[in-house]
mmCIF file with all atom_site columns, all heavy atoms in Angstrom:
data_model
loop_
_atom_site.group_PDB
_atom_site.id
_atom_site.type_symbol
_atom_site.label_atom_id
_atom_site.label_alt_id
_atom_site.label_comp_id
_atom_site.label_asym_id
_atom_site.label_entity_id
_atom_site.label_seq_id
_atom_site.pdbx_PDB_ins_code
_atom_site.Cartn_x
_atom_site.Cartn_y
_atom_site.Cartn_z
_atom_site.occupancy
_atom_site.B_iso_or_equiv
_atom_site.pdbx_formal_charge
_atom_site.auth_seq_id
_atom_site.auth_comp_id
_atom_site.auth_asym_id
_atom_site.auth_atom_id
_atom_site.pdbx_PDB_model_num
ATOM 1   N N   . ALA W 1 26  ? -29.341 19.051 -2.957  1.00 0.00 ? 26  ALA W N   1
ATOM 2   C CA  . ALA W 1 26  ? -28.763 19.813 -1.853  1.00 0.00 ? 26  ALA W CA  1
ATOM 3   C C   . ALA W 1 26  ? -28.076 21.062 -2.396  1.00 0.00 ? 26  ALA W C   1
ATOM 4   O O   . ALA W 1 26  ? -27.571 21.071 -3.513  1.00 0.00 ? 26  ALA W O   1
ATOM 5   C CB  . ALA W 1 26  ? -27.752 18.956 -1.093  1.00 0.00 ? 26  ALA W CB  1
ATOM 6   N N   . ARG W 1 27  ? -28.073 22.096 -1.608  1.00 0.00 ? 27  ARG W N   1
ATOM 7   C CA  . ARG W 1 27  ? -27.421 23.343 -2.007  1.00 0.00 ? 27  ARG W CA  1
ATOM 8   C C   . ARG W 1 27  ? -25.915 23.242 -1.787  1.00 0.00 ? 27  ARG W C   1
ATOM 9   O O   . ARG W 1 27  ? -25.432 22.423 -0.997  1.00 0.00 ? 27  ARG W O   1
ATOM 10  C CB  . ARG W 1 27  ? -27.992 24.504 -1.214  1.00 0.00 ? 27  ARG W CB  1
ATOM 11  C CG  . ARG W 1 27  ? -29.440 24.768 -1.559  1.00 0.00 ? 27  ARG W CG  1
ATOM 12  C CD  . ARG W 1 27  ? -30.001 25.852 -0.663  1.00 0.00 ? 27  ARG W CD  1
ATOM 13  N NE  . ARG W 1 27  ? -31.442 25.852 -0.742  1.00 0.00 ? 27  ARG W NE  1
ATOM 14  C CZ  . ARG W 1 27  ? -32.143 26.686 -1.492  1.00 0.00 ? 27  ARG W CZ  1
ATOM 15  N NH1 . ARG W 1 27  ? -31.539 27.600 -2.199  1.00 0.00 ? 27  ARG W NH1 1
ATOM 16  N NH2 . ARG W 1 27  ? -33.453 26.615 -1.522  1.00 0.00 ? 27  ARG W NH2 1
ATOM 17  N N   . THR W 1 28  ? -25.212 24.098 -2.467  1.00 0.00 ? 28  THR W N   1
ATOM 18  C CA  . THR W 1 28  ? -23.752 24.092 -2.423  1.00 0.00 ? 28  THR W CA  1
ATOM 19  C C   . THR W 1 28  ? -23.239 24.252 -0.991  1.00 0.00 ? 28  THR W C   1
ATOM 20  O O   . THR W 1 28  ? -22.308 23.564 -0.584  1.00 0.00 ? 28  THR W O   1
ATOM 21  C CB  . THR W 1 28  ? -23.199 25.203 -3.330  1.00 0.00 ? 28  THR W CB  1
ATOM 22  O OG1 . THR W 1 28  ? -23.677 24.991 -4.654  1.00 0.00 ? 28  THR W OG1 1
ATOM 23  C CG2 . THR W 1 28  ? -21.683 25.214 -3.342  1.00 0.00 ? 28  THR W CG2 1
ATOM 24  N N   . GLY W 1 29  ? -23.841 25.150 -0.210  1.00 0.00 ? 29  GLY W N   1
ATOM 25  C CA  . GLY W 1 29  ? -23.385 25.390 1.161   1.00 0.00 ? 29  GLY W CA  1
ATOM 26  C C   . GLY W 1 29  ? -23.526 24.164 2.050   1.00 0.00 ? 29  GLY W C   1
ATOM 27  O O   . GLY W 1 29  ? -22.663 23.892 2.892   1.00 0.00 ? 29  GLY W O   1
ATOM 28  N N   . THR W 1 30  ? -24.590 23.407 1.875   1.00 0.00 ? 30  THR W N   1
ATOM 29  C CA  . THR W 1 30  ? -24.802 22.197 2.666   1.00 0.00 ? 30  THR W CA  1
ATOM 30  C C   . THR W 1 30  ? -23.777 21.136 2.282   1.00 0.00 ? 30  THR W C   1
ATOM 31  O O   . THR W 1 30  ? -23.203 20.465 3.149   1.00 0.00 ? 30  THR W O   1
ATOM 32  C CB  . THR W 1 30  ? -26.230 21.658 2.456   1.00 0.00 ? 30  THR W CB  1
ATOM 33  O OG1 . THR W 1 30  ? -27.162 22.714 2.703   1.00 0.00 ? 30  THR W OG1 1
ATOM 34  C CG2 . THR W 1 30  ? -26.532 20.511 3.388   1.00 0.00 ? 30  THR W CG2 1
ATOM 35  N N   . ILE W 1 31  ? -23.534 20.992 0.991   1.00 0.00 ? 31  ILE W N   1
ATOM 36  C CA  . ILE W 1 31  ? -22.545 20.011 0.524   1.00 0.00 ? 31  ILE W CA  1
ATOM 37  C C   . ILE W 1 31  ? -21.159 20.402 1.029   1.00 0.00 ? 31  ILE W C   1
ATOM 38  O O   . ILE W 1 31  ? -20.399 19.555 1.514   1.00 0.00 ? 31  ILE W O   1
ATOM 39  C CB  . ILE W 1 31  ? -22.563 19.915 -1.018  1.00 0.00 ? 31  ILE W CB  1
ATOM 40  C CG1 . ILE W 1 31  ? -23.928 19.425 -1.501  1.00 0.00 ? 31  ILE W CG1 1
ATOM 41  C CG2 . ILE W 1 31  ? -21.456 18.993 -1.509  1.00 0.00 ? 31  ILE W CG2 1
ATOM 42  C CD1 . ILE W 1 31  ? -24.134 19.518 -3.000  1.00 0.00 ? 31  ILE W CD1 1
ATOM 43  N N   . ARG W 1 60  ? -30.735 24.200 -6.634  1.00 0.00 ? 60  ARG W N   1
ATOM 44  C CA  . ARG W 1 60  ? -31.336 25.299 -5.882  1.00 0.00 ? 60  ARG W CA  1
ATOM 45  C C   . ARG W 1 60  ? -30.268 26.353 -5.644  1.00 0.00 ? 60  ARG W C   1
ATOM 46  O O   . ARG W 1 60  ? -29.135 26.041 -5.309  1.00 0.00 ? 60  ARG W O   1
ATOM 47  C CB  . ARG W 1 60  ? -31.873 24.798 -4.547  1.00 0.00 ? 60  ARG W CB  1
ATOM 48  C CG  . ARG W 1 60  ? -32.784 23.617 -4.658  1.00 0.00 ? 60  ARG W CG  1
ATOM 49  C CD  . ARG W 1 60  ? -34.142 24.042 -5.052  1.00 0.00 ? 60  ARG W CD  1
ATOM 50  N NE  . ARG W 1 60  ? -35.001 22.865 -5.138  1.00 0.00 ? 60  ARG W NE  1
ATOM 51  C CZ  . ARG W 1 60  ? -36.119 22.840 -5.772  1.00 0.00 ? 60  ARG W CZ  1
ATOM 52  N NH1 . ARG W 1 60  ? -36.540 23.919 -6.385  1.00 0.00 ? 60  ARG W NH1 1
ATOM 53  N NH2 . ARG W 1 60  ? -36.846 21.763 -5.824  1.00 0.00 ? 60  ARG W NH2 1
ATOM 54  N N   . ARG W 1 61  ? -30.644 27.596 -5.802  1.00 0.00 ? 61  ARG W N   1
ATOM 55  C CA  . ARG W 1 61  ? -29.706 28.693 -5.627  1.00 0.00 ? 61  ARG W CA  1
ATOM 56  C C   . ARG W 1 61  ? -29.979 29.393 -4.299  1.00 0.00 ? 61  ARG W C   1
ATOM 57  O O   . ARG W 1 61  ? -31.055 29.296 -3.746  1.00 0.00 ? 61  ARG W O   1
ATOM 58  C CB  . ARG W 1 61  ? -29.824 29.668 -6.786  1.00 0.00 ? 61  ARG W CB  1
ATOM 59  C CG  . ARG W 1 61  ? -29.529 28.990 -8.129  1.00 0.00 ? 61  ARG W CG  1
ATOM 60  C CD  . ARG W 1 61  ? -29.660 29.925 -9.291  1.00 0.00 ? 61  ARG W CD  1
ATOM 61  N NE  . ARG W 1 61  ? -28.600 30.896 -9.425  1.00 0.00 ? 61  ARG W NE  1
ATOM 62  C CZ  . ARG W 1 61  ? -27.363 30.625 -9.838  1.00 0.00 ? 61  ARG W CZ  1
ATOM 63  N NH1 . ARG W 1 61  ? -27.024 29.402 -10.102 1.00 0.00 ? 61  ARG W NH1 1
ATOM 64  N NH2 . ARG W 1 61  ? -26.487 31.586 -9.982  1.00 0.00 ? 61  ARG W NH2 1
ATOM 65  N N   . GLY W 1 62  ? -28.994 30.096 -3.838  1.00 0.00 ? 62  GLY W N   1
ATOM 66  C CA  . GLY W 1 62  ? -29.165 30.878 -2.620  1.00 0.00 ? 62  GLY W CA  1
ATOM 67  C C   . GLY W 1 62  ? -28.850 30.076 -1.367  1.00 0.00 ? 62  GLY W C   1
ATOM 68  O O   . GLY W 1 62  ? -28.356 28.963 -1.419  1.00 0.00 ? 62  GLY W O   1
ATOM 69  N N   . ARG W 1 63  ? -29.182 30.683 -0.256  1.00 0.00 ? 63  ARG W N   1
ATOM 70  C CA  . ARG W 1 63  ? -28.898 30.073 1.046   1.00 0.00 ? 63  ARG W CA  1
ATOM 71  C C   . ARG W 1 63  ? -29.920 29.012 1.381   1.00 0.00 ? 63  ARG W C   1
ATOM 72  O O   . ARG W 1 63  ? -31.044 29.041 0.904   1.00 0.00 ? 63  ARG W O   1
ATOM 73  C CB  . ARG W 1 63  ? -28.896 31.150 2.116   1.00 0.00 ? 63  ARG W CB  1
ATOM 74  C CG  . ARG W 1 63  ? -27.769 32.155 1.933   1.00 0.00 ? 63  ARG W CG  1
ATOM 75  C CD  . ARG W 1 63  ? -27.837 33.207 2.986   1.00 0.00 ? 63  ARG W CD  1
ATOM 76  N NE  . ARG W 1 63  ? -27.940 32.557 4.284   1.00 0.00 ? 63  ARG W NE  1
ATOM 77  C CZ  . ARG W 1 63  ? -27.343 32.948 5.377   1.00 0.00 ? 63  ARG W CZ  1
ATOM 78  N NH1 . ARG W 1 63  ? -26.601 34.012 5.350   1.00 0.00 ? 63  ARG W NH1 1
ATOM 79  N NH2 . ARG W 1 63  ? -27.485 32.305 6.512   1.00 0.00 ? 63  ARG W NH2 1
ATOM 80  N N   . SER W 1 64  ? -29.545 28.109 2.248   1.00 0.00 ? 64  SER W N   1
ATOM 81  C CA  . SER W 1 64  ? -30.455 27.078 2.739   1.00 0.00 ? 64  SER W CA  1
ATOM 82  C C   . SER W 1 64  ? -31.535 27.721 3.597   1.00 0.00 ? 64  SER W C   1
ATOM 83  O O   . SER W 1 64  ? -31.305 28.771 4.209   1.00 0.00 ? 64  SER W O   1
ATOM 84  C CB  . SER W 1 64  ? -29.693 26.055 3.575   1.00 0.00 ? 64  SER W CB  1
ATOM 85  O OG  . SER W 1 64  ? -28.746 25.387 2.791   1.00 0.00 ? 64  SER W OG  1
ATOM 86  N N   . PRO W 1 65  ? -32.717 27.105 3.667   1.00 0.00 ? 65  PRO W N   1
ATOM 87  C CA  . PRO W 1 65  ? -33.776 27.670 4.511   1.00 0.00 ? 65  PRO W CA  1
ATOM 88  C C   . PRO W 1 65  ? -33.372 27.658 5.983   1.00 0.00 ? 65  PRO W C   1
ATOM 89  O O   . PRO W 1 65  ? -32.672 26.757 6.430   1.00 0.00 ? 65  PRO W O   1
ATOM 90  C CB  . PRO W 1 65  ? -34.970 26.744 4.264   1.00 0.00 ? 65  PRO W CB  1
ATOM 91  C CG  . PRO W 1 65  ? -34.419 25.524 3.633   1.00 0.00 ? 65  PRO W CG  1
ATOM 92  C CD  . PRO W 1 65  ? -33.124 25.884 3.001   1.00 0.00 ? 65  PRO W CD  1
ATOM 93  N N   . THR W 1 66  ? -33.817 28.678 6.703   1.00 0.00 ? 66  THR W N   1
ATOM 94  C CA  . THR W 1 66  ? -33.500 28.779 8.129   1.00 0.00 ? 66  THR W CA  1
ATOM 95  C C   . THR W 1 66  ? -34.732 28.960 9.004   1.00 0.00 ? 66  THR W C   1
ATOM 96  O O   . THR W 1 66  ? -34.636 28.827 10.219  1.00 0.00 ? 66  THR W O   1
ATOM 97  C CB  . THR W 1 66  ? -32.539 29.953 8.392   1.00 0.00 ? 66  THR W CB  1
ATOM 98  O OG1 . THR W 1 66  ? -33.127 31.161 7.887   1.00 0.00 ? 66  THR W OG1 1
ATOM 99  C CG2 . THR W 1 66  ? -31.195 29.727 7.728   1.00 0.00 ? 66  THR W CG2 1
ATOM 100 N N   . ARG W 1 67  ? -35.858 29.274 8.414   1.00 0.00 ? 67  ARG W N   1
ATOM 101 C CA  . ARG W 1 67  ? -37.079 29.458 9.209   1.00 0.00 ? 67  ARG W CA  1
ATOM 102 C C   . ARG W 1 67  ? -37.596 28.112 9.693   1.00 0.00 ? 67  ARG W C   1
ATOM 103 O O   . ARG W 1 67  ? -37.455 27.104 9.009   1.00 0.00 ? 67  ARG W O   1
ATOM 104 C CB  . ARG W 1 67  ? -38.164 30.145 8.384   1.00 0.00 ? 67  ARG W CB  1
ATOM 105 C CG  . ARG W 1 67  ? -37.797 31.552 7.960   1.00 0.00 ? 67  ARG W CG  1
ATOM 106 C CD  . ARG W 1 67  ? -38.864 32.166 7.086   1.00 0.00 ? 67  ARG W CD  1
ATOM 107 N NE  . ARG W 1 67  ? -38.985 31.376 5.867   1.00 0.00 ? 67  ARG W NE  1
ATOM 108 C CZ  . ARG W 1 67  ? -40.094 31.254 5.159   1.00 0.00 ? 67  ARG W CZ  1
ATOM 109 N NH1 . ARG W 1 67  ? -41.176 31.887 5.522   1.00 0.00 ? 67  ARG W NH1 1
ATOM 110 N NH2 . ARG W 1 67  ? -40.118 30.520 4.072   1.00 0.00 ? 67  ARG W NH2 1
ATOM 111 N N   . PHE W 1 132 ? -34.834 17.862 0.887   1.00 0.00 ? 132 PHE W N   1
ATOM 112 C CA  . PHE W 1 132 ? -33.549 17.578 1.523   1.00 0.00 ? 132 PHE W CA  1
ATOM 113 C C   . PHE W 1 132 ? -33.082 18.786 2.335   1.00 0.00 ? 132 PHE W C   1
ATOM 114 O O   . PHE W 1 132 ? -32.651 18.644 3.475   1.00 0.00 ? 132 PHE W O   1
ATOM 115 C CB  . PHE W 1 132 ? -32.524 17.225 0.437   1.00 0.00 ? 132 PHE W CB  1
ATOM 116 C CG  . PHE W 1 132 ? -31.232 16.696 0.967   1.00 0.00 ? 132 PHE W CG  1
ATOM 117 C CD1 . PHE W 1 132 ? -31.072 15.346 1.225   1.00 0.00 ? 132 PHE W CD1 1
ATOM 118 C CD2 . PHE W 1 132 ? -30.156 17.540 1.193   1.00 0.00 ? 132 PHE W CD2 1
ATOM 119 C CE1 . PHE W 1 132 ? -29.868 14.837 1.703   1.00 0.00 ? 132 PHE W CE1 1
ATOM 120 C CE2 . PHE W 1 132 ? -28.946 17.050 1.668   1.00 0.00 ? 132 PHE W CE2 1
ATOM 121 C CZ  . PHE W 1 132 ? -28.804 15.697 1.923   1.00 0.00 ? 132 PHE W CZ  1
ATOM 122 N N   . GLU W 1 133 ? -33.188 19.966 1.761   1.00 0.00 ? 133 GLU W N   1
ATOM 123 C CA  . GLU W 1 133 ? -32.731 21.182 2.439   1.00 0.00 ? 133 GLU W CA  1
ATOM 124 C C   . GLU W 1 133 ? -33.597 21.520 3.652   1.00 0.00 ? 133 GLU W C   1
ATOM 125 O O   . GLU W 1 133 ? -33.093 21.983 4.673   1.00 0.00 ? 133 GLU W O   1
ATOM 126 C CB  . GLU W 1 133 ? -32.689 22.362 1.475   1.00 0.00 ? 133 GLU W CB  1
ATOM 127 C CG  . GLU W 1 133 ? -31.516 22.322 0.532   1.00 0.00 ? 133 GLU W CG  1
ATOM 128 C CD  . GLU W 1 133 ? -30.170 22.495 1.212   1.00 0.00 ? 133 GLU W CD  1
ATOM 129 O OE1 . GLU W 1 133 ? -30.067 23.252 2.200   1.00 0.00 ? 133 GLU W OE1 1
ATOM 130 O OE2 . GLU W 1 133 ? -29.205 21.863 0.754   1.00 0.00 ? 133 GLU W OE2 1
ATOM 131 N N   . TRP W 1 134 ? -34.911 21.303 3.548   1.00 0.00 ? 134 TRP W N   1
ATOM 132 C CA  . TRP W 1 134 ? -35.767 21.543 4.704   1.00 0.00 ? 134 TRP W CA  1
ATOM 133 C C   . TRP W 1 134 ? -35.474 20.525 5.799   1.00 0.00 ? 134 TRP W C   1
ATOM 134 O O   . TRP W 1 134 ? -35.556 20.824 6.988   1.00 0.00 ? 134 TRP W O   1
ATOM 135 C CB  . TRP W 1 134 ? -37.242 21.537 4.316   1.00 0.00 ? 134 TRP W CB  1
ATOM 136 C CG  . TRP W 1 134 ? -37.672 22.837 3.736   1.00 0.00 ? 134 TRP W CG  1
ATOM 137 C CD1 . TRP W 1 134 ? -37.815 23.137 2.423   1.00 0.00 ? 134 TRP W CD1 1
ATOM 138 C CD2 . TRP W 1 134 ? -37.968 24.032 4.450   1.00 0.00 ? 134 TRP W CD2 1
ATOM 139 N NE1 . TRP W 1 134 ? -38.183 24.456 2.269   1.00 0.00 ? 134 TRP W NE1 1
ATOM 140 C CE2 . TRP W 1 134 ? -38.298 25.024 3.496   1.00 0.00 ? 134 TRP W CE2 1
ATOM 141 C CE3 . TRP W 1 134 ? -38.001 24.382 5.793   1.00 0.00 ? 134 TRP W CE3 1
ATOM 142 C CZ2 . TRP W 1 134 ? -38.640 26.319 3.856   1.00 0.00 ? 134 TRP W CZ2 1
ATOM 143 C CZ3 . TRP W 1 134 ? -38.352 25.672 6.144   1.00 0.00 ? 134 TRP W CZ3 1
ATOM 144 C CH2 . TRP W 1 134 ? -38.672 26.622 5.177   1.00 0.00 ? 134 TRP W CH2 1
ATOM 145 N N   . TRP W 1 136 ? -32.461 19.292 6.325   1.00 0.00 ? 136 TRP W N   1
ATOM 146 C CA  . TRP W 1 136 ? -31.216 19.793 6.920   1.00 0.00 ? 136 TRP W CA  1
ATOM 147 C C   . TRP W 1 136 ? -31.526 20.936 7.881   1.00 0.00 ? 136 TRP W C   1
ATOM 148 O O   . TRP W 1 136 ? -30.944 21.031 8.959   1.00 0.00 ? 136 TRP W O   1
ATOM 149 C CB  . TRP W 1 136 ? -30.254 20.238 5.822   1.00 0.00 ? 136 TRP W CB  1
ATOM 150 C CG  . TRP W 1 136 ? -28.960 20.722 6.355   1.00 0.00 ? 136 TRP W CG  1
ATOM 151 C CD1 . TRP W 1 136 ? -28.533 22.016 6.415   1.00 0.00 ? 136 TRP W CD1 1
ATOM 152 C CD2 . TRP W 1 136 ? -27.926 19.941 6.950   1.00 0.00 ? 136 TRP W CD2 1
ATOM 153 N NE1 . TRP W 1 136 ? -27.280 22.070 6.995   1.00 0.00 ? 136 TRP W NE1 1
ATOM 154 C CE2 . TRP W 1 136 ? -26.892 20.814 7.334   1.00 0.00 ? 136 TRP W CE2 1
ATOM 155 C CE3 . TRP W 1 136 ? -27.773 18.575 7.195   1.00 0.00 ? 136 TRP W CE3 1
ATOM 156 C CZ2 . TRP W 1 136 ? -25.729 20.374 7.950   1.00 0.00 ? 136 TRP W CZ2 1
ATOM 157 C CZ3 . TRP W 1 136 ? -26.605 18.142 7.805   1.00 0.00 ? 136 TRP W CZ3 1
ATOM 158 C CH2 . TRP W 1 136 ? -25.604 19.029 8.176   1.00 0.00 ? 136 TRP W CH2 1
ATOM 159 N N   . ASN W 1 137 ? -32.459 21.803 7.510   1.00 0.00 ? 137 ASN W N   1
ATOM 160 C CA  . ASN W 1 137 ? -32.881 22.895 8.387   1.00 0.00 ? 137 ASN W CA  1
ATOM 161 C C   . ASN W 1 137 ? -33.485 22.330 9.676   1.00 0.00 ? 137 ASN W C   1
ATOM 162 O O   . ASN W 1 137 ? -33.219 22.835 10.770  1.00 0.00 ? 137 ASN W O   1
ATOM 163 C CB  . ASN W 1 137 ? -33.892 23.784 7.656   1.00 0.00 ? 137 ASN W CB  1
ATOM 164 C CG  . ASN W 1 137 ? -34.398 24.918 8.510   1.00 0.00 ? 137 ASN W CG  1
ATOM 165 O OD1 . ASN W 1 137 ? -33.735 25.408 9.405   1.00 0.00 ? 137 ASN W OD1 1
ATOM 166 N ND2 . ASN W 1 137 ? -35.618 25.340 8.229   1.00 0.00 ? 137 ASN W ND2 1
ATOM 167 N N   . SER W 1 140 ? -30.627 21.016 11.856  1.00 0.00 ? 140 SER W N   1
ATOM 168 C CA  . SER W 1 140 ? -29.861 22.144 12.410  1.00 0.00 ? 140 SER W CA  1
ATOM 169 C C   . SER W 1 140 ? -30.637 22.832 13.528  1.00 0.00 ? 140 SER W C   1
ATOM 170 O O   . SER W 1 140 ? -30.067 23.179 14.568  1.00 0.00 ? 140 SER W O   1
ATOM 171 C CB  . SER W 1 140 ? -29.529 23.152 11.310  1.00 0.00 ? 140 SER W CB  1
ATOM 172 O OG  . SER W 1 140 ? -28.779 22.552 10.295  1.00 0.00 ? 140 SER W OG  1
ATOM 173 N N   . ALA W 1 191 ? -40.833 28.000 -0.824  1.00 0.00 ? 191 ALA W N   1
ATOM 174 C CA  . ALA W 1 191 ? -39.473 28.070 -1.336  1.00 0.00 ? 191 ALA W CA  1
ATOM 175 C C   . ALA W 1 191 ? -38.563 28.586 -0.234  1.00 0.00 ? 191 ALA W C   1
ATOM 176 O O   . ALA W 1 191 ? -38.994 29.329 0.644   1.00 0.00 ? 191 ALA W O   1
ATOM 177 C CB  . ALA W 1 191 ? -39.403 28.992 -2.544  1.00 0.00 ? 191 ALA W CB  1
ATOM 178 N N   . ALA W 1 192 ? -37.312 28.154 -0.254  1.00 0.00 ? 192 ALA W N   1
ATOM 179 C CA  . ALA W 1 192 ? -36.372 28.535 0.802   1.00 0.00 ? 192 ALA W CA  1
ATOM 180 C C   . ALA W 1 192 ? -36.220 30.038 0.844   1.00 0.00 ? 192 ALA W C   1
ATOM 181 O O   . ALA W 1 192 ? -36.249 30.718 -0.157  1.00 0.00 ? 192 ALA W O   1
ATOM 182 C CB  . ALA W 1 192 ? -35.028 27.890 0.547   1.00 0.00 ? 192 ALA W CB  1
ATOM 183 N N   . GLY W 1 193 ? -36.018 30.515 2.033   1.00 0.00 ? 193 GLY W N   1
ATOM 184 C CA  . GLY W 1 193 ? -35.835 31.954 2.159   1.00 0.00 ? 193 GLY W CA  1
ATOM 185 C C   . GLY W 1 193 ? -35.736 32.386 3.561   1.00 0.00 ? 193 GLY W C   1
ATOM 186 O O   . GLY W 1 193 ? -35.810 31.752 4.510   1.00 0.00 ? 193 GLY W O   1
#
Side-chain angles (χ1 to χ4, degrees):
R27 293 175 195 261
T28 302
T30 307
I31 298 170
R60 308 280 180 199
R61 300 179 73 73
R63 295 178 50 141
S64 297
T66 56
R67 296 177 298 151
F132 190 87
E133 284 293 325
W134 279 99
W136 182 253
N137 179 28
S140 301

